[in-house]
Amino acid sequence: MAKKEYIEGSFGAYFVKLIKDHNYSQAKFAAELGVSKTYLFDVFNGRVKPPAPEMQDRIIEVLHLNNSDRDEFYSKAAEGRHELPKDIVEYLTNNKTEIDGLRERMRV
Protein backbone atom coordinates (compact mmCIF):
# COMPACT_ATOMS: atom_id res chain seq x y z
CA MET A 1 0.00 0.00 0.00
CA ALA A 2 1.32 3.46 -0.94
CA LYS A 3 2.17 5.93 1.79
CA LYS A 4 -0.45 8.65 2.25
CA GLU A 5 0.68 12.09 1.10
CA TYR A 6 -0.70 15.16 2.85
CA ILE A 7 -0.81 18.66 1.44
CA GLU A 8 2.60 20.23 1.97
CA GLY A 9 2.49 23.03 4.53
CA SER A 10 -0.95 22.03 5.78
CA PHE A 11 -1.83 21.59 9.42
CA GLY A 12 -2.57 17.93 8.67
CA ALA A 13 0.92 17.28 7.27
CA TYR A 14 2.48 19.09 10.24
CA PHE A 15 0.32 17.18 12.75
CA VAL A 16 1.13 13.79 11.19
CA LYS A 17 4.86 14.58 11.36
CA LEU A 18 4.57 15.78 14.95
CA ILE A 19 2.87 12.55 16.00
CA LYS A 20 5.45 10.44 14.16
CA ASP A 21 8.35 12.46 15.59
CA HIS A 22 7.05 11.66 19.09
CA ASN A 23 7.02 7.92 18.33
CA TYR A 24 3.28 7.39 18.16
CA SER A 25 1.38 5.48 15.54
CA GLN A 26 -1.70 7.35 14.39
CA ALA A 27 -3.96 4.67 15.87
CA LYS A 28 -2.17 4.69 19.24
CA PHE A 29 -2.24 8.49 19.35
CA ALA A 30 -5.99 8.56 18.63
CA ALA A 31 -6.58 6.07 21.45
CA GLU A 32 -4.35 8.02 23.86
CA LEU A 33 -6.14 11.25 22.97
CA GLY A 34 -9.57 9.64 23.28
CA VAL A 35 -10.76 10.42 19.75
CA SER A 36 -11.72 8.18 16.87
CA LYS A 37 -9.23 7.34 14.15
CA THR A 38 -11.78 8.68 11.67
CA TYR A 39 -11.79 12.10 13.34
CA LEU A 40 -8.00 12.17 13.43
CA PHE A 41 -7.75 11.20 9.75
CA ASP A 42 -10.30 13.91 8.88
CA VAL A 43 -8.04 16.46 10.62
CA PHE A 44 -4.97 15.14 8.78
CA ASN A 45 -6.77 15.38 5.44
CA GLY A 46 -8.25 18.83 6.06
CA ARG A 47 -11.86 17.61 6.01
CA VAL A 48 -12.35 19.24 9.42
CA LYS A 49 -10.64 22.23 11.00
CA PRO A 50 -7.68 21.71 13.30
CA PRO A 51 -8.69 20.78 16.85
CA ALA A 52 -10.44 23.30 19.08
CA PRO A 53 -8.31 25.10 21.68
CA GLU A 54 -9.34 22.74 24.51
CA MET A 55 -8.24 19.73 22.46
CA GLN A 56 -5.02 21.52 21.51
CA ASP A 57 -4.05 21.54 25.19
CA ARG A 58 -4.69 17.81 25.45
CA ILE A 59 -2.56 17.12 22.36
CA ILE A 60 0.29 19.20 23.78
CA GLU A 61 0.02 17.27 27.04
CA VAL A 62 0.00 13.84 25.39
CA LEU A 63 2.97 14.68 23.14
CA HIS A 64 4.87 16.46 25.94
CA LEU A 65 5.70 19.34 23.59
CA ASN A 66 8.44 21.76 24.56
CA ASN A 67 7.77 25.51 24.47
CA SER A 68 8.99 25.97 20.90
CA ASP A 69 6.92 23.06 19.53
CA ARG A 70 3.91 24.18 21.58
CA ASP A 71 4.10 27.70 20.13
CA GLU A 72 4.35 26.36 16.59
CA PHE A 73 1.47 23.96 17.20
CA TYR A 74 -0.76 26.76 18.51
CA SER A 75 0.15 28.98 15.54
CA LYS A 76 -0.45 26.33 12.89
CA ALA A 77 -3.75 25.24 14.46
CA ALA A 78 -4.90 28.87 14.68
CA GLU A 79 -3.99 29.48 11.05
CA GLY A 80 -6.09 26.48 9.99
CA ARG A 81 -8.99 27.63 12.17
CA HIS A 82 -8.67 31.31 11.09
CA GLU A 83 -8.30 32.33 14.73
CA LEU A 84 -5.67 33.83 16.99
CA PRO A 85 -3.41 31.26 18.67
CA LYS A 86 -4.82 29.91 21.92
CA ASP A 87 -1.92 31.12 24.04
CA ILE A 88 -2.28 34.67 22.69
CA VAL A 89 -6.02 34.70 23.40
CA GLU A 90 -5.40 33.47 26.94
CA TYR A 91 -2.73 36.11 27.50
CA LEU A 92 -4.97 38.92 26.27
CA THR A 93 -7.90 37.60 28.29
CA ASN A 94 -5.79 37.71 31.44
CA ASN A 95 -4.11 41.06 30.66
CA LYS A 96 -6.79 43.59 29.74
CA THR A 97 -4.29 46.46 29.73
CA GLU A 98 -2.59 44.81 26.75
CA ILE A 99 -5.83 45.13 24.80
CA ASP A 100 -5.90 48.89 25.50
CA GLY A 101 -2.29 49.13 24.35
CA LEU A 102 -3.06 47.25 21.15
CA ARG A 103 -6.01 49.51 20.41
CA GLU A 104 -3.83 52.56 20.95
CA ARG A 105 -1.18 51.20 18.55
CA MET A 106 -3.89 50.42 16.00
CA ARG A 107 -4.98 54.08 15.99
CA VAL A 108 -1.47 55.26 15.10
Side-chain angles (χ1 to χ4, degrees), residues 17-37:
K17 183 179 181 329
L18 194 61
I19 291 167
K20 183 178 179 182
D21 288 351
H22 285 82
N23 300 314
Y24 276 95
S25 70
Q26 293 173 1
K28 183 178 179 195
F29 183 75
E32 181 82 19
L33 196 57
V35 299
S36 71
K37 290 186 288 185

Side-chain angles (χ1 to χ4, degrees):
M1 181 161 59
K3 183 178 175 186
K4 171 69 178 167
E5 295 290 325
Y6 299 98
I7 298 170
E8 186 175 336
S10 69
F11 176 80
Y14 167 76
F15 194 21
V16 167
K17 183 179 181 329
L18 194 61
I19 291 167
K20 183 178 179 182
D21 288 351
H22 285 82
N23 300 314
Y24 276 95
S25 70
Q26 293 173 1
K28 183 178 179 195
F29 183 75
E32 181 82 19
L33 196 57
V35 299
S36 71
K37 290 186 288 185
T38 302
Y39 166 74
L40 204 56
F41 295 149
D42 284 347
V43 171
F44 296 158
N45 290 299
R47 289 189 286 267
V48 298
K49 288 182 179 182
E54 301 76 27
M55 180 63 75
Q56 292 173 29
D57 285 339
R58 179 74 179 122
I59 292 166
I60 289 166
E61 179 183 310
V62 169
L63 293 176
H64 304 288
L65 297 184
N66 63 35
N67 287 342
S68 177
D69 288 340
R70 182 200 67 214
D71 293 349
E72 184 174 5
F73 180 81
Y74 280 148
S75 293
K76 288 192 176 291
E79 183 180 315
R81 294 180 61 79
H82 306 289
E83 298 174 352
L84 288 172
K86 180 189 183 301
D87 56 337
I88 302 299
V89 171
E90 284 180 354
Y91 177 80
L92 290 173
T93 299
N94 294 317
N95 295 282
K96 298 293 185 187
T97 58
E98 291 292 334
I99 293 172
D100 295 336
L102 284 171
R103 285 189 174 128
E104 187 61 35
R105 287 191 293 276
M106 288 168 45
R107 289 186 193 105
V108 173

